[in-house]
Amino acid sequence: MANEPTDTDGITEEAVSEEQFLRAVTSFEAIILSQIKIKNKISDRLNAAIRAGIIILGLIAVSILILLLTLSSQINRITSVVTEMNKDFTDVSGQMLEIRDYMDSMEKRVALMESVTNQTGVMDTEVRAIAENIETMQSTVSGIKSQVAGMRHDIGVVSGAVDHMNVDVQRMGVDMHRMGQPARSMNKMFPFP
């Protein structure tokens, strides 16, 4: 029965309890007040952090807005530049088609160069034959010239002979006229019907 409390133990427990209770209440109040102060400080810091975060987020939003506006204006410029480049590429593709046509025509002309070369070879052979014929003709013409010169000489000789004959014939005519003078005189004297 030693475990059963006595009356003296109850009084001291109550007396200790009230003092402890008062101390506990004051310490509890101090703890609660310090917690409230800490919570107020934390809430002030949290409010300040939230305000700073809101300001930072606002600045980020403004910078994003400026960036988006800049990008939209740049996109408009890029779109116009890309449109112009597309037109330039269209022009370039058209010019490339023209260049391809020119290249095809050049290939056809180069392919014709072989036949032209063959024809040139044939023409060279013909020109050589013509040159040989011209040389033959020149030698023939030289022979004809020498023969014509000989003929001229002969004609000159004949012409000289004819001139001599003409002089002789004229002399003969004069002689005949002179010799016929007596016969004419006789005819005048004895006319015959």
Side-chain angles (χ1 to χ4, degrees), residues 22-39:
L22 287 175
R23 275 192 237 160
V25 168
T26 55
S27 64
F28 181 73
E29 185 180 357
I31 290 170
I32 294 295
L33 288 175
S34 66
Q35 283 183 354
I36 290 171
K37 285 180 183 178
I38 290 170
K39 285 183 182 178

Side-chain angles (χ1 to χ4, degrees), residues 1-191:
M1 309 254 244
N3 291 335
E4 291 183 4
T6 59
D7 290 336
T8 58
D9 289 335
I11 292 172
T12 56
E13 284 181 7
E14 286 181 17
V16 171
S17 297
E18 286 179 16
E19 286 179 19
Q20 287 179 348
F21 181 72
L22 287 175
R23 275 192 237 160
V25 168
T26 55
S27 64
F28 181 73
E29 185 180 357
I31 290 170
I32 294 295
L33 288 175
S34 66
Q35 283 183 354
I36 290 171
K37 285 180 183 178
I38 290 170
K39 285 183 182 178
N40 287 336
K41 286 182 181 179
I42 291 172
S43 65
D44 289 338
R45 287 181 183 174
L46 184 62
N47 285 336
I50 289 172
R51 285 179 190 149
I54 288 172
I55 291 170
I56 290 170
L57 286 175
L59 292 174
I60 291 171
V62 168
S63 64
I64 289 173
L65 179 65
I66 291 170
L67 182 64
L68 287 174
L69 290 174
T70 305
L71 285 175
S72 67
S73 66
Q74 293 297 323
I75 284 172
N76 290 333
R77 289 181 185 171
I78 289 170
T79 304
S80 64
V81 169
V82 167
T83 305
E84 291 178 5
M85 285 175 66
N86 192 12
K87 291 179 183 176
D88 292 337
F89 282 134
T90 305
D91 294 338
V92 167
S93 65
Q95 291 174 357
M96 288 299 289
L97 289 174
E98 291 179 3
I99 289 171
R100 185 178 296 166
D101 292 338
Y102 288 137
M103 292 297 289
D104 290 338
S105 66
M106 284 177 66
E107 286 178 2
K108 291 177 182 176
R109 291 177 183 170
V110 168
L112 291 174
M113 288 297 288
E114 184 176 354
S115 63
V116 170
T117 304
N118 293 334
Q119 292 295 327
T120 305
V122 172
M123 287 174 66
D124 286 340
T125 305
E126 294 294 328
V127 167
R128 285 193 202 100
I130 289 170
E132 290 173 0
N133 290 333
I134 287 172
E135 288 176 2
T136 305
M137 288 173 64
Q138 284 177 347
S139 63
T140 305
V141 167
S142 297
I144 290 171
K145 282 182 180 179
S146 63
Q147 289 178 0
V148 167
M151 287 175 65
R152 281 183 184 169
H153 182 265
D154 293 339
I155 288 170
V157 171
V158 170
S159 177
V162 168
D163 287 339
H164 288 297
M165 285 175 62
N166 192 13
V167 170
D168 291 338
V169 167
Q170 286 178 356
R171 284 183 189 162
M172 284 175 62
V174 169
D175 289 339
M176 289 293 284
H177 186 59
R178 192 173 32 105
M179 287 173 57
Q181 185 66 37
R184 278 193 298 275
S185 301
M186 283 191 63
N187 277 339
K188 285 181 185 176
M189 290 193 313
F190 302 107

